[in-house]
Amino acid sequence: MAKAKKITAALTAALLCTASLTACSDTSYVMTAGDSKINAGIYIYNELTEMSYQMTMMYYQKGIKKDYFDQKVDGKAFDEYLSDYALTATKEYAAVVDKFNELGLTLSDEDIKSINDSISSTWDSQGEFYESEGISKESVKLALKGSKMRDELFDHYYAEGGEEAVSDDKMVKYLDDNYLRYKSISFAKTKASTDSSSSATDSSTDSADAANEEAKAKRDEFLEKAQGVSFDDFDSIIDEYNDYVASKKASDSSSAADSDSSAADSSTTSDDTSSVAESDTSSTASDDTSSVSDSTAESSSAADSDSSTDSSSSEPDLYANEKMANYGEMDDSQKDTTNGKILKEVSGMSTDVATAYEDDNAYYILIKGDVKDRDTEYAKDNHEDLLKEMKSDEFQKKLTSWVEKLDIKVNNKAIKRYTPKVVYDKQTEYYSKNNNS
């Protein structure tokens, strides 16, 4: 009898051990939050989405097209950064869902339809890829719902009628305390072209110096015209500048056409002469045109930056030529960028005084306006964006506290299985296979 009991106990222990090992080796979920299991697909989705974003930034900012895992992001090795990001994002997802349900909030029928439509579109084009990564359709749907819940929670606290709603007066004060208002004109600098050894030639350096002297002289000419001109009336200087750019473009195009015509005529006499003339004139025309095109960039971006009037409206946009920028909340790294340095210059300027400025890229004319002349209207027209600027950090602190209060247990087996390198290799394998098929 005693022996039978020992055998039974041993079998029970073995079964418990087996069950325990099975549970621990289950990587279909990445963590538990209270009684809920969070799909591993949500974690992989967060990892993959951030990976794609960071790789895109590496390409556009540094020209990096490979060896991503040799790079660092925020001082961390790329794979470590992605793992940390995905884990944090997934914990926040769990906390958002928990708080959303705790407050008795619901997504509208319109929100659900939008999410379902997005899922259908995504799955038609990328469903096979997501499944190859171990991400189910349901996991993507949950991730998108979590993102919408997060937006709704933000509005629950800070939007009109919210628990901690931001008044119009506070928003206007935020603008006055942090924002700069300015207009600008820029004349692009020409860089010396390089030879095959990446060294600037003497002739190209002389040519670039001459072009830059001309650009600086033209900037100074417009600066002289802008003396005594108010911020509002500076639009007339910008209009004159735009006319100058258009005229120069037309002149350069005409010169290029005449040169092409001359080259074509000379070709009847000598093919060799035609080749040389065509090469020289097209190069000169190209350099001149690109220089003029670059010089309009600052003006056109200003026109696009914060237009308050619908472009289809018959009424002119009074603010088409100006920018509003949040300089007060820039960190040191942002202030060290080209745009940050321009804003630093503007911040120290007096209003209604056109001022010369120069950096490695261009010669500028800057003029500062008074934010208070536009703050109430701007706050009304850009309410949602300003609300996020004002309260995103505060909301993040709330979210972090919700995560800390939630009983989260991480499934480390899943974390070790779905590493960034594994996700990346699967992506590479998928696209390699399908591009070659």
Side-chain angles (χ1 to χ4, degrees):
M1 187 69 177
K3 186 176 181 180
K5 286 183 178 181
K6 286 182 180 180
I7 293 173
T8 301
L11 288 172
T12 301
L15 288 171
L16 287 172
C17 184
T18 302
S20 176
L21 289 171
T22 302
C24 290
S25 62
D26 182 3
T27 55
S28 64
Y29 71 99
V30 75
M31 65 182 65
T32 58
D35 296 330
S36 301
K37 284 185 176 181
I38 309 300
N39 292 355
I42 296 174
Y43 173 83
I44 304 169
Y45 177 83
N46 288 330
E47 201 170 33
L48 179 65
T49 303
E50 182 66 9
M51 179 187 295
S52 298
Y53 171 76
Q54 291 297 338
M55 285 164 56
T56 301
M57 290 299 100
M58 287 179 190
Y59 173 73
Y60 282 110
Q61 293 176 357
K62 301 178 182 178
I64 294 171
K65 293 185 282 187
K66 59 180 182 178
D67 300 327
Y68 301 108
F69 286 84
D70 293 336
Q71 310 304 316
K72 288 190 174 183
V73 180
D74 291 348
K76 296 180 179 180
F78 190 44
D79 57 348
E80 180 187 359
Y81 167 83
L82 290 174
S83 294
D84 289 349
Y85 175 89
L87 187 59
T88 298
T90 308
K91 286 180 179 180
E92 290 181 352
Y93 160 82
V96 161
V97 173
D98 182 73
K99 177 58 70 171
F100 191 84
N101 292 332
E102 177 190 319
L103 294 173
L105 303 178
T106 57
L107 295 179
S108 68
D109 291 341
E110 184 179 350
D111 290 334
I112 296 298
K113 182 180 184 305
S114 176
I115 291 169
N116 287 336
D117 289 346
S118 179
I119 290 293
S120 295
S121 175
T122 298
W123 226 251
D124 286 344
S125 60
Q126 292 185 286
E128 187 178 333
F129 164 65
Y130 278 125
E131 288 175 346
S132 75
E133 287 282 8
I135 304 171
S136 69
K137 192 173 185 179
E138 179 63 18
S139 288
V140 177
K141 183 175 182 178
L142 290 172
L144 293 183
K145 285 179 70 175
S147 179
K148 185 60 184 174
M149 288 177 180
R150 184 172 179 148
D151 291 341
E152 291 296 315
L153 280 169
F154 183 90
D155 288 345
H156 172 80
Y157 287 100
Y158 305 116
E160 184 177 358
E163 290 185 12
E164 302 169 34
V166 177
S167 68
D168 293 340
D169 288 345
K170 285 184 179 179
M171 188 167 285
V172 167
K173 186 178 186 307
Y174 175 83
L175 276 171
D176 295 343
D177 290 346
N178 293 283
Y179 268 65
L180 294 175
R181 182 186 182 199
Y182 72 104
K183 297 175 183 176
S184 64
I185 294 174
S186 67
F187 299 79
K189 288 185 176 180
T190 301
K191 299 190 187 311
S193 58
T194 58
D195 59 19
S196 58
S197 65
S198 299
S199 299
T201 62
D202 290 341
S203 60
S204 69
T205 299
D206 291 342
S207 177
D209 288 345
N212 288 335
E213 283 298 319
E214 181 182 348
K216 183 176 183 295
K218 184 58 68 174
R219 188 278 308 274
D220 292 344
E221 179 185 324
F222 274 88
L223 181 61
E224 182 65 28
K225 294 178 182 181
Q227 296 308 302
V229 174
S230 69
F231 180 80
D232 289 341
D233 292 339
F234 191 75
D235 284 349
S236 64
I237 305 297
I238 293 177
D239 289 342
E240 187 175 346
Y241 163 80
N242 287 334
D243 289 342
Y244 156 73
V245 171
S247 175
K248 184 161 176 52
K249 275 187 176 180
S251 175
D252 290 342
S253 296
S254 176
S255 297
D258 290 343
S259 297
D260 288 344
S261 176
S262 298
D265 291 342
S266 65
S267 69
T268 60
T269 305
S270 169
D271 286 342
D272 290 340
T273 303
S274 167
S275 176
V276 172
E278 187 174 339
S279 173
D280 290 346
T281 55
S282 64
S283 173
T284 303
S286 174
D287 287 346
D288 286 345
T289 302
S290 66
S291 178
V292 174
S293 176
D294 288 346
S295 73
T296 66
E298 181 70 23
S299 179
S300 63
S301 65
D304 294 339
S305 64
D306 53 62
S307 172
S308 300
T309 305
D310 192 310
S311 59
S312 63
S313 171
S314 59
E315 293 189 20
D317 180 3
L318 299 176
Y319 308 114
N321 292 321
E322 68 178 68
K323 288 185 178 180
M324 294 277 285
N326 189 346
Y327 179 68
E329 293 202 342
M330 277 188 168
D331 58 30
D332 290 341
S333 63
Q334 292 170 321
K335 289 181 179 179
D336 198 40
T337 63
T338 297
N339 186 56
K341 291 175 181 178
I342 290 175
L343 293 177
K344 181 179 180 180
E345 180 72 15
V346 173
S347 70
M349 290 165 47
S350 300
T351 57
D352 295 304
V353 178
T355 304
Y357 175 70
E358 173 187 348
D359 61 20
D360 292 340
N361 302 308
Y363 302 98
Y364 302 85
I365 301 173
L366 306 172
I367 189 166
K368 182 180 180 180
D370 191 340
V371 173
K372 291 182 179 179
D373 290 341
R374 191 186 170 189
D375 54 10
T376 301
E377 182 179 0
Y378 188 87
K380 178 181 177 182
D381 293 337
N382 298 274
H383 183 86
E384 288 188 17
D385 290 339
L386 284 171
L387 196 59
K388 285 186 172 67
E389 283 184 24
M390 295 175 68
K391 293 297 181 180
S392 286
D393 288 346
E394 186 178 309
F395 181 72
Q396 182 60 49
K397 289 178 181 177
K398 288 182 184 294
L399 183 48
T400 301
S401 72
W402 300 339
V403 170
E404 291 171 351
K405 292 175 184 176
L406 201 58
D407 180 23
I408 293 177
K409 292 182 175 62
V410 175
N411 181 358
N412 289 314
K413 291 276 188 180
I415 300 297
K416 290 178 181 178
R417 177 179 179 183
Y418 306 114
T419 66
K421 192 66 169 63
V422 168
V423 172
Y424 174 79
D425 287 345
K426 284 185 177 181
Q427 174 180 265
T428 303
E429 180 183 355
Y430 175 83
Y431 283 114
S432 176
K433 174 183 175 182
N434 283 274
N435 288 339
N436 293 330
S437 60

